[in-house]
């Protein structure tokens, strides 16, 4: 229950846009068991060419990372474009703990990702 008359904050906000025919999904909030279904449904609608902007993620658990890895692998198999941008260690430690930060296509900015995956 919010205190001091504050409005409740949504646990997860997902928005998308298209840049150079690639879907860019901005993720804001928590990626965990409580938001997994919402995140999975949104990824399923996003298409194969995808850039996930994770700069707004406040926490990520292993299940959310599993969804990201699955989408990455599906994209690779289909010859599609895929990248992650704005990933912060402090909010996505699970990527480093699992060693996936060294394997996933991580970029600092949208421009960096677009240049790399074209």
């Amino acid at each position: 229950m919010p205190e001091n008359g504050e409005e409740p904050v949504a646990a997860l906000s997902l928005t998308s846009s298209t840049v150079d025919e690639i879907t860019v999904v901005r993720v804001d909030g928590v990626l965990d068991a409580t938001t997994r279904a919402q995140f999975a449904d949104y990824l399923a609608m996003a298409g194969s060419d995808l850039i996930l902007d994770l700069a707004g993620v406040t926490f990520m658990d292993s299940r959310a990372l599993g969804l990201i890895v699955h989408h990455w692998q599906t994209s690779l198999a289909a010859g599609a474009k895929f990248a992650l941008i704005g990933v912060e260690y402090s909010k996505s430690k699970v990527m480093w703990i699992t060693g996936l930060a060294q394997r996933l296509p991580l970029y600092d900015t949208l421009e960096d990702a677009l240049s790399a995956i074209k």
Side-chain angles (χ1 to χ4, degrees), residues 3-104:
E3 296 182 19
N4 303 327
E6 295 175 8
E7 292 294 317
V9 177
L12 183 63
S13 171
L14 300 163
T15 54
S16 62
S17 60
T18 303
V19 179
D20 294 343
E21 300 181 16
I22 299 171
T23 302
V24 179
V25 174
R26 168 115 178 131
V27 183
D28 292 295
V30 175
L31 288 175
D32 67 4
T34 65
T35 59
R36 184 184 190 285
Q38 178 186 358
F39 187 48
D41 291 346
Y42 205 90
L43 285 179
M45 295 184 304
S48 55
D49 288 338
L50 180 66
I51 295 175
L52 284 177
D53 181 350
L54 302 178
V57 170
T58 56
F59 173 79
M60 178 188 301
D61 73 3
S62 60
R63 290 183 185 155
L65 179 58
L67 284 174
I68 291 169
V69 169
H70 175 74
H71 204 82
W72 170 55
Q73 291 172 332
T74 302
S75 294
L76 283 176
K81 299 170 180 160
F82 184 88
L84 303 173
I85 60 173
V87 179
E88 295 181 35
Y89 172 79
S90 63
K91 298 169 185 171
S92 305
K93 289 180 186 175
V94 68
M95 275 193 203
W96 279 264
I97 291 169
T98 59
L100 287 166
Q102 289 75 35
R103 299 195 60 212
L104 289 165

Side-chain angles (χ1 to χ4, degrees), residues 19-20 22 51 81-83 85 107-118:
V19 179
D20 294 343
I22 299 171
I51 295 175
K81 299 170 180 160
F82 184 88
I85 60 173
Y107 301 95
D108 292 332
T109 67
L110 178 58
E111 294 75 21
D112 292 344
L114 289 169
S115 294
I117 65 176
K118 282 189 176 183

